[in-house]
Amino acid sequence: DGGITQSPKYLFRKEGQNVTLSCEQNLNHDAMYWYRQDPGQGLRLIYYSQIVNDFQKGDIAEGYSVSREKKESFPLTVTSAQKNPTAFYLCASSPPLPTVWRYFGPGTRLTVL
Amino acid sequence: SQQGEEDPQALSIQEGENATMNCSYKTSINNLQWYRQNSGRGLVHLILIRSNEREKHSGRLRVTLDTSKKSSSLLITASRAADTASYFCATDAHDKIIFGKGTRLHILP
């Protein structure tokens, strides 16, 4: 089965700690994305990558970092500089054009204690 | 700024009834997409309608697009309990997809 996996499903961290969220896809998609979702809100783009070893900031990149060393993997690090990190984080990928929709992973819920 | 805005924010209907939710947007678009999100899960793509299309069907889903009014509607016919979810519109403009805040749909038994 092809798809996107995110781990862990639930993550707790103490204030001041960095934490890395995993995202892996076996869909052979070049483009990958990280979104943040707050309760009752839409999705906001954090970072995206169109190709290996390249990524761009989205609308709310401050306090986050990413890497794209492999096509299959796009981990997101939530740093201590992110002032309000408690949220639901969604990873997505998209196939080459002309397909323009996103395939989403199941998400990771991060809670800062 | 938010591109797509869904209306209503929440909707409760009896099983078997039709559910209609709307999406308004502000700028010209290439296409508009609808996604479903079950509680605590990722989004699932439902249907895409291009700017030169006016109506599209997929199973029990019917989507319309009125580019003159900058609005779209999603109709779910003969609703089922499994349709309980949040529904998001996403506008694709200038190579950027922007998601609305969603409509929470609850199907009552």
Side-chain angles (χ1 to χ4, degrees):
Chain A
D1 281 342
I4 301 177
T5 57
Q6 291 186 243
S7 61
K9 187 171 177 62
Y10 299 97
L11 189 55
F12 299 88
R13 81 148 212 228
K14 294 180 180 179
E15 271 193 54
Q17 288 181 338
N18 293 354
V19 63
T20 297
L21 282 60
S22 167
C23 176
E24 302 279 332
Q25 56 103 354
N26 61 3
L27 299 166
N28 200 32
H29 291 170
D30 286 315
M32 297 186 74
Y33 310 82
W34 273 105
Y35 292 91
R36 170 182 172 139
Q37 185 178 32
D38 293 285
Q41 300 296 312
L43 278 65
R44 291 185 290 170
L45 183 64
I46 305 172
Y47 267 99
Y48 64 101
S49 169
Q50 303 278 33
I51 198 167
V52 174
N53 292 323
D54 188 41
F55 49 83
Q56 287 78 40
K57 293 181 179 180
D59 300 317
I60 55 165
E62 185 176 351
Y64 299 98
S65 66
V66 294
S67 63
R68 187 83 187 277
E69 297 176 1
K70 298 187 301 181
K71 188 175 186 176
E72 301 78 17
S73 178
F74 191 39
L76 173 74
T77 296
V78 184
T79 75
S80 56
Q82 168 50 233
K83 298 191 189 317
N84 186 20
T86 294
F88 190 49
Y89 290 87
L90 288 158
C91 179
S93 68
S94 61
L97 294 173
T99 303
V100 295
W101 57 81
R102 306 279 187 261
Y103 288 82
F104 283 85
T108 291
R109 187 167 300 279
L110 172 64
T111 302
V112 175
L113 305 171
Chain B
S1 63
Q2 198 77 27
Q3 170 72 314
E5 292 283 346
E6 292 91 341
D7 171 63
Q9 291 185 359
L11 178 63
S12 293
I13 61 171
Q14 294 293 137
E15 191 169 9
E17 294 181 340
N18 296 341
T20 299
M21 52 207 90
N22 304 294
C23 172
S24 59
Y25 56 93
K26 296 176 183 174
T27 64
S28 62
I29 59 173
N30 298 322
N31 64 72
L32 187 144
Q33 304 165 32
W34 285 93
Y35 291 80
R36 182 187 73 233
Q37 184 181 34
N38 291 89
S39 181
R41 308 293 295 274
L43 278 71
V44 174
H45 178 261
L46 295 175
I47 195 166
L48 178 150
I49 187 165
R50 302 192 185 280
S51 59
N52 61 353
E53 297 176 312
R54 292 295 167 260
E55 187 171 312
K56 204 161 182 181
H57 296 254
S58 177
R60 294 184 295 114
L61 305 180
R62 173 179 166 248
V63 169
T64 62
L65 180 64
D66 187 334
T67 52
S68 66
K69 295 182 179 178
K70 292 187 171 57
S71 69
S72 172
S73 68
L74 171 66
L75 168 69
I76 304 174
T77 61
S79 62
R80 305 169 182 170
D83 295 328
T84 293
S86 292
Y87 292 82
F88 295 86
C89 69
T91 51
D92 181 359
H94 311 294
D95 297 325
K96 191 172 182 180
I97 291 181
I98 300 177
F99 290 83
K101 294 183 180 181
T103 292
R104 294 188 308 280
L105 175 64
H106 185 52
I107 307 301
L108 304 168

